[in-house]
Amino acid sequence: MFAPHLPEIEALYESIPLLIHMHGELTYGLFLDNTGRSDFDMRSHGVAFTVGCSTGAYDIYFINGPEMKDVVKRYTALTGRIALPPKWAIGYHQSRYSYMNQQEVLQLARTFREKNIPCDVIYLDIHYMDEYRVFTFDPVNFPEPQKMIAELDELGVRIVPIVDPGVKKDPKYEVYKEGVLNKHFCRRLEGDIFFGEVWPGISAFPDFSDSRTAEWWGDLHKYYTDLGIQGIWNDMNEPAVFNESKTMDLDVMHFNDGRPVTHEEYHNLYGMMMSKATYEGLAEHMAGERPFVLTRAGYAGIQRYAAVWTGDNRSFWEHMAMAMPMVLNMGLSGLAFAGPDIGGFAHHTSAQLLVRWTQMGVFFPYCRNHSSIGTLRQEPWSFGEEVEGILREFIGLRYRWMPHIYNLFHEAEDCGLPVIRPLILEYPRDPHVTNLCDQFLLGDNVLIAPVYRPDTDHRSVYLPEGCWLDYWDGEVHEGGKHILAAAPLHIMPMYVKAGSFTAEGPLKQYAQEETAETVIFHLYGAKAEEDFTASFTLYEDDGHSFAYRKGAFSQIAVEAKGTGDGLLLNWFYKTDAYKAPREMLRFALCYPFFPADDVDGLPEISLDELKEGRKGWARNGKSGAIIIQVPDERSGGELRIRAGK
């Protein structure tokens, strides 16, 4: 419930008992592996801190650095790293509590397509069910779910329905009947089922600690996969109960494959074990396709099974600002796939707040707009044409940046580093970034500085060491200082570090839309000087199956070196077991404008000829960038770009 979202509340849905302590130039981590109530007291003892828990023995891990990146990598090696999600799960998601019927859902999807606003997912909140019974559709409001899902599939839109753990007490309800007869529900030690009130009324709760029950629960998801559903939203899974304590009674037992423990000892694991059962059940019934699970509750290691959203926030500017440190801390704690409800869930959003939150949110790992019943609508077109146009542009920006973002998800799976990062992770020796939490890095080379106050058209931005280029107009800024960035409503300050690459693709209306897959490697700050170098590796796979785990992926390595009189650009495939559906590669020499005079072996062509797929190089009259287009050959290639006077 969203009532606890107040400034003095410090813990709600996730329990990740990890402390990262930076002391001078050394960093270490402490991971307290105890699934009952634990406390980290950083206030009461001056320079010291205390760590404790109220239930039983515990394991505590000391994670040596010496760098913060080392701690994050080792912690995620211990607790697990994210499973690479399907590309559609990295797209833009639209949700509301609730879209009330089949017609509303279909019209919503059609509106996205008519307005050319990209979208991959529509969520179904609790009202899609038959009297809130999980694994059902309301026969009146959703009479033909399979037909609805098939029509949405033609539009490139997927459905993600909510599934809560509470199973309605109803002897005529098959899921409840099976759960009782086969002893799948949480019980008292004496054998009585624990009942609590949630959305369906009096309900029982599966005991996910038992492998037998987890497998039963996972297998129930065949109901959804048979309809074509590939993603599930787990909510209320702390578990939340409508009682004074807001959760399950602490003396309820979890039978834990023959090693019984009380709920007091097990509480923090409940949500993770539900999502684990959900993920494994979906994977079992999806014929090699990657599932997507979203969860509200979790424990250390939840990242192996689910993305996490920050719960029932509110449409307050303060909650938008708070989302940055929350998601950045989650990233340092292994939860690389995380984000808040864009626009805020409870209360009424405003046009400005929705614009600014969306601008920020499209660069968060998880990107969903979600709002509560009884609040102003906050679909992208809800506040008139000007706002709609800005939101279309920024949501489209996420899709154009999809190759780059997907590459960072691969890095998160491979080595545990988060998709978005606090500046201290990349610049640990810079005292200005120690507690900087109102801007962040996408990967290690793109700086995002959201506007999080109303009626604000400028903001202070701190640029760390190096040279930084304004993404929008190419203005050059030397780092190591604060600048005042102009930020009219249609602009969010963004900067790319000179001497680095980004990868962009075509604008799509959904992640797996069949369009030309031409990838554009943007090189920022190219120089002819001999000390200039830049490199980048782009990971690619089919974006939807587990074939990449059997080696079906590719990695393109790109490198640029100054030669004194120009630039040497080369690329090659480090691995090439996956072939992207494209014929050409593009390279763009972005800000500041590289004074190219000639590209050896390539003709100078027009931008129109470039778009038609011709091999050559062209000047972009608008930006001044040099764009080079060459065949995408597995052998790679090398180009010498000569600088003019």
Side-chain angles (χ1 to χ4, degrees):
M1 303 296 288
F2 58 76
H5 278 260
L6 300 168
E8 65 268 26
I9 297 297
E10 296 178 336
L12 276 174
Y13 308 119
E14 298 295 316
S15 176
I16 314 295
L18 171 70
L19 169 70
I20 298 177
H21 182 201
M22 190 175 190
H23 183 71
E25 294 190 357
L26 300 177
T27 304
Y28 67 89
L30 288 177
F31 170 46
L32 172 67
D33 190 11
N34 180 284
T35 59
R37 182 182 180 88
S38 58
D39 295 285
F40 287 69
D41 183 353
M42 318 300 290
R43 296 190 181 103
S44 304
H45 307 285
V47 297
F49 60 87
T50 61
V51 176
C53 56
S54 58
T55 57
Y58 56 82
D59 293 322
I60 190 161
Y61 296 83
F62 177 84
I63 305 170
N64 190 33
E67 299 291 343
M68 189 178 295
K69 280 187 175 181
D70 299 321
V71 174
V72 174
K73 289 177 179 179
R74 289 176 179 142
Y75 168 76
T76 55
L78 177 67
T79 61
R81 292 166 179 159
I82 68 166
L84 188 59
K87 272 190 180 177
W88 63 263
I90 305 174
Y92 174 81
H93 300 201
Q94 185 67 50
S95 183
R96 185 168 174 84
Y97 165 50
S98 290
Y99 295 122
M100 302 300 290
N101 57 58
Q102 189 168 313
Q103 293 72 28
E104 185 179 14
V105 171
L106 288 169
Q107 186 54 48
L108 180 70
R110 294 178 194 129
T111 303
F112 271 103
R113 295 295 173 255
E114 290 164 4
K115 291 181 173 292
N116 292 315
I117 300 174
C119 180
D120 265 279
V121 180
I122 293 173
Y123 285 74
L124 299 181
D125 212 314
I126 58 175
H127 293 100
Y128 82 90
M129 293 180 274
D130 181 10
E131 296 184 348
Y132 308 124
R133 295 175 179 87
V134 289
F135 307 103
T136 69
F137 273 85
D138 185 306
V140 175
N141 292 321
F142 291 88
E144 299 176 298
Q146 192 158 19
K147 182 179 177 182
M148 175 189 73
I149 291 164
E151 183 172 339
L152 291 170
D153 187 60
E154 291 180 5
L155 295 170
V157 175
R158 297 170 190 267
I159 283 294
V160 172
I162 199 168
V163 177
D164 293 347
V167 176
K168 185 177 178 65
K169 183 181 180 183
D170 176 358
K172 294 179 287 185
Y173 173 31
E174 197 61 34
V175 176
Y176 177 74
K177 190 191 304 183
E178 282 184 18
V180 172
L181 294 176
N182 294 297
K183 296 186 176 180
H184 288 309
F185 293 129
C186 295
R187 291 169 281 157
R188 309 280 184 183
L189 185 61
E190 295 77 14
D192 296 336
I193 294 173
F194 167 77
F195 292 105
E197 185 176 358
V198 279
W199 297 116
I202 302 302
S203 301
F205 297 80
D207 182 4
F208 299 111
S209 73
D210 252 22
S211 301
R212 185 180 56 88
T213 295
E215 185 176 348
W216 167 71
W217 186 261
D219 202 49
L220 288 172
H221 288 79
K222 189 174 186 296
Y223 171 78
Y224 293 111
T225 59
D226 283 351
L227 294 172
I229 290 170
Q230 296 183 322
I232 295 293
W233 171 19
N234 287 162
D235 193 12
M236 302 286 285
N237 56 335
E238 291 77 31
V241 181
F242 299 159
N243 60 17
E244 188 174 344
S245 72
K246 307 299 183 187
T247 193
M248 190 178 288
D249 293 352
L250 298 184
D251 62 348
V252 172
M253 300 303 297
H254 298 278
F255 287 88
N256 197 32
D257 289 335
R259 302 180 302 279
V261 294
T262 64
H263 187 68
E264 183 181 15
E265 299 168 278
Y266 190 84
H267 175 82
N268 291 333
L269 263 184
Y270 190 87
M272 184 174 95
M273 296 306 285
M274 179 185 183
S275 291
K276 177 179 183 290
T278 301
Y279 182 89
E280 292 174 348
L282 289 173
E284 179 69 23
H285 295 291
M286 282 173 48
E289 295 292 295
R290 299 177 215 167
F292 168 69
V293 179
L294 176 69
T295 186
R296 189 167 82 176
Y299 183 67
I302 182 61
Q303 61 269 13
R304 291 174 291 174
Y305 310 111
V308 174
W309 99 104
T310 59
D312 296 339
N313 60 5
R314 301 189 183 194
S315 298
F316 298 160
W317 288 94
E318 294 83 355
H319 280 205
M320 177 191 164
M322 194 188 306
M324 282 182 272
M326 289 174 74
V327 176
L328 291 171
N329 278 330
M330 284 180 164
L332 295 179
S333 306
L335 280 63
F337 196 3
D341 284 338
I342 290 173
F345 174 70
H347 202 62
H348 300 298
T349 197
S350 66
Q352 272 194 49
L353 180 58
L354 183 59
V355 166
R356 294 306 196 185
W357 208 323
T358 303
Q359 289 171 340
M360 176 182 77
V362 297
F363 288 102
F364 274 14
Y366 176 63
C367 180
R368 179 179 76 159
N369 176 318
H370 183 45
S371 58
S372 179
I373 196 166
T375 63
L376 286 175
R377 302 295 289 242
Q378 55 188 52
E379 290 80 17
W381 49 84
S382 299
F383 290 93
E385 291 185 4
E386 180 187 4
V387 168
E388 179 185 324
I390 297 171
L391 298 185
R392 179 186 295 107
E393 177 66 26
F394 273 88
I395 294 169
L397 195 62
R398 183 177 181 90
Y399 282 78
R400 293 201 303 274
W401 277 68
M402 186 67 76
H404 197 87
I405 295 171
Y406 191 70
N407 200 55
L408 291 169
F409 270 88
H410 161 67
E411 186 176 0
E413 182 188 51
D414 184 54
C415 69
L417 290 179
V419 175
I420 65 169
R421 304 170 187 178
L423 273 70
I424 195 171
L425 189 64
E426 297 293 340
Y427 300 93
R429 307 289 179 263
D430 187 337
H432 295 288
V433 304
T434 302
N435 198 29
L436 185 60
C437 62
D438 67 349
Q439 57 186 71
F440 57 89
L441 293 167
L442 178 68
D444 63 2
N445 67 327
V446 180
L447 191 149
I448 310 291
V451 174
Y452 54 94
R453 293 287 184 266
D455 301 321
T456 300
D457 58 9
H458 287 77
R459 66 151 289 176
S460 173
V461 178
Y462 180 73
L463 300 175
E465 66 181 13
C467 180
W468 296 84
L469 308 170
D470 190 304
Y471 177 76
W472 303 106
D473 63 15
E475 185 178 357
V476 180
H477 300 275
E478 288 299 324
K481 62 183 180 181
H482 290 83
I483 64 169
L484 185 62
L489 188 61
H490 66 287
I491 292 291
M492 176 183 66
M494 292 174 56
Y495 303 87
V496 184
K497 194 166 189 178
S500 68
F501 284 94
T502 65
E504 295 188 29
L507 174 61
K508 296 186 175 187
Q509 294 304 299
Y510 53 98
Q512 290 176 253
E513 183 180 11
E514 294 183 1
T515 63
E517 289 286 341
T518 301
V519 64
I520 308 173
F521 294 98
H522 293 265
L523 174 58
Y524 288 84
K527 294 181 180 179
E529 285 85 345
E530 292 182 1
D531 62 350
F532 175 82
T533 62
S535 61
F536 180 74
T537 299
L538 179 68
Y539 170 90
E540 296 179 298
D541 61 31
D542 66 19
H544 61 87
S545 80
F546 283 111
Y548 77 96
R549 291 187 176 174
K550 298 177 180 178
F553 61 86
S554 68
Q555 290 176 296
I556 314 174
V558 184
E559 187 177 63
K561 292 182 178 180
T563 61
D565 61 351
L567 198 69
L568 190 65
L569 180 69
N570 66 74
W571 65 96
F572 66 95
Y573 278 84
K574 297 166 70 172
T575 56
D576 65 350
Y578 169 73
K579 177 70 170 74
R582 62 169 173 257
E583 300 298 324
M584 310 298 282
L585 289 176
R586 286 185 188 174
F587 302 91
L589 306 187
C590 298
Y591 309 119
F593 306 141
F594 189 83
D597 197 39
D598 186 40
V599 180
D600 282 2
L602 289 182
E604 183 173 1
I605 60 177
S606 68
L607 286 175
D608 287 338
E609 289 173 315
L610 197 81
K611 292 174 184 176
E612 291 168 2
R614 280 196 58 187
K615 175 181 175 180
W617 67 281
R619 302 178 193 271
N620 187 333
K622 288 184 178 179
S623 71
I626 299 299
I627 305 173
I628 299 165
Q629 185 160 270
V630 295
D632 182 10
E633 296 171 345
R634 313 313 276 180
S635 57
E638 183 174 279
L639 292 172
R640 186 175 295 275
I641 303 157
R642 301 194 181 278
K645 300 296 184 183

